[in-house]
Amino acid sequence: MTGFAGLPLSGVTVVSAEQAVAAPFATRQLADLGARVIKVERPGGGDFARHYDTSVHGQSSYFVWLNRSKESVTLDLKAPRGREILERLLGRADVFVQNLAPGAAGRLGLDAASLRERYPALIPCTISGYGTSGPWSDRKAYDLLVQCQTGLVSLTGTPEETARVGVSIADIAAGMYAYSGILTALYTRATTGVARAVEVSLFEALAEWMGQPAYYTRYGGTQPPRIGTGHPTIAPYGAYTTADGGQVLFSIQNEREWGALCDRFLERPDLVDDPRFATGSARVAHRDELDAIVAERFRRSGSAEVMAALDAIGVANAEVDDVEGFLGHPVLASRDRWRDVRIPGGMVQALRPPADLEGIDPRMEAVPGVGEHTEKILTELGHDEADIEHLRADGVI
């Protein structure tokens, strides 16, 4: 089985018993680089992420985002013939990725230890909620649960109310670490001949991203406060309303910027050495007083004028965009980041992967329908038309 000619992972075959976000995100990135990704779905409904919404030409926004350039085969993994077909696929694969429910992989003999005995050259990747060992190994998990368990939700929002991060950040973190772990395992196998298993949990992936607040809390004695778009240890930092009703976010990163802000933007050079604001710690301690001064200056100018003035003194800033504003962002347009991708029901625009490899165009092919490639893949395995019809009649595919 081969991948997409000319790309770095051409020749690598990935079989994935995947669902939802984390595992599909990892394998989509492998497909972007040319790996052949065979997505194993349940007969009938397929990956349940297909049904999260119907906003993209009748398809789920999650599924469209995560599953381009893959081949979909439907298999009942509990049926003996379904398992036999999967085993034949695994015998030809380089990588197997699964994020099945807790305990399911073990019951099916698809855990890393069992796979290593049958396929020594295969790289198994397991994505779980809380790890395959330990007291929570049997617990189900999804993104918001993990945001809560890692303390992230306690840091996000306003002083009055917590809030979830608005994207599936635990799933994304786990998918990224699974992707990088698989690439490392492929490199290790190529250089040493040893295929090593990869394991990632949503909880431990997001725990890594909680490093800074963890250190701050353990050694500082208290956790960072929730302050909306502000920053717990930097001031001024946040979004301020301008004369035309817009919002512009900026922050001061060093003393040079603080001096320039006072002299040329606030037009208050006296504030530079004011004891309330002379150091970063002092500015944080007197945040409310400083915010009042900054907010008054913002109210005197429109957003474009404020941004131009901050640009002129070398202070980074950004207008607070909504999603429509992001979609039309001039950076994406001018850097040619959008590509057309076919999905069941039409065409969509998709962002090319963020890591550009010199001289390489990423693979951005169609999003598959449920089981779209089942007959093709079974034919490759030697099944004839009559046998395929029997498998379908029996509910195996």
Side-chain angles (χ1 to χ4, degrees), residues 57-94:
H57 301 317
Q59 306 297 312
S60 160
S61 55
Y62 282 88
F63 195 85
V64 168
W65 166 42
L66 297 167
N67 290 284
R68 66 174 179 247
S69 304
K70 298 180 185 180
E71 297 171 57
S72 170
V73 57
T74 51
L75 287 177
D76 180 356
L77 299 184
K78 295 180 181 179
R81 293 207 68 190
R83 280 297 312 282
E84 184 268 334
I85 292 168
L86 178 65
E87 294 293 331
R88 292 170 67 196
L89 287 172
L90 293 177
R92 303 179 176 204
D94 300 284

Side-chain angles (χ1 to χ4, degrees), residues 16-259:
S16 187
E18 61 181 25
Q19 54 198 356
V21 176
F25 188 43
T27 59
R28 195 218 74 194
Q29 294 174 90
L30 297 169
D32 289 343
L33 292 179
R36 183 184 189 186
V37 176
I38 299 174
K39 181 183 180 77
V40 178
E41 301 191 67
R42 295 166 298 157
D47 181 345
F48 54 72
R50 287 182 178 273
H51 312 291
Y52 282 168
D53 62 73
T54 56
S55 61
V56 188
H57 301 317
Q59 306 297 312
S60 160
S61 55
Y62 282 88
F63 195 85
V64 168
W65 166 42
L66 297 167
N67 290 284
R68 66 174 179 247
S69 304
K70 298 180 185 180
E71 297 171 57
S72 170
V73 57
T74 51
L75 287 177
D76 180 356
L77 299 184
K78 295 180 181 179
R81 293 207 68 190
R83 280 297 312 282
E84 184 268 334
I85 292 168
L86 178 65
E87 294 293 331
R88 292 170 67 196
L89 287 172
L90 293 177
R92 303 179 176 204
D94 300 284
V95 179
F96 175 62
V97 181
Q98 62 88 8
N99 65 336
L100 300 171
R107 291 191 297 271
L108 292 168
L110 297 175
D111 56 289
S114 299
L115 289 171
R116 181 179 291 112
E117 292 181 3
R118 302 199 300 278
Y119 309 107
L122 182 70
I123 295 167
C125 176
T126 301
I127 302 176
S128 65
Y130 299 101
T132 58
S133 63
W136 283 32
S137 60
D138 292 332
R139 289 180 69 109
K140 292 184 177 180
Y142 55 80
D143 185 83
L144 184 52
L145 293 178
V146 176
Q147 288 195 36
C148 292
Q149 290 290 337
T150 56
L152 178 60
V153 167
S154 76
L155 300 174
T156 307
T158 64
E160 296 75 30
E161 187 175 9
T162 60
R164 66 178 286 269
V165 176
V167 296
S168 301
I169 191 169
D171 286 301
I172 292 169
M176 288 300 302
Y177 287 120
Y179 167 61
S180 62
I182 290 166
L183 292 179
T184 303
L186 286 168
Y187 176 80
T188 301
R189 191 184 69 171
T191 54
T192 69
V194 177
R196 299 191 180 278
V198 177
E199 180 178 346
V200 178
S201 77
L202 273 67
F203 181 78
E204 288 160 353
L206 197 56
E208 166 65 20
W209 290 18
M210 287 290 292
Q212 181 274 323
Y215 281 115
Y216 185 99
T217 301
R218 173 164 287 179
Y219 300 105
T222 183
Q223 77 171 45
R226 292 190 307 275
I227 51 176
T229 59
H231 194 285
T233 61
I234 301 174
Y237 190 126
Y240 299 84
T241 302
T242 60
D244 54 12
Q247 284 198 314
V248 174
L249 184 140
F250 86 107
S251 69
I252 291 300
Q253 300 291 309
N254 53 56
E255 296 310 305
R256 182 207 66 77
E257 291 185 0
W258 169 242

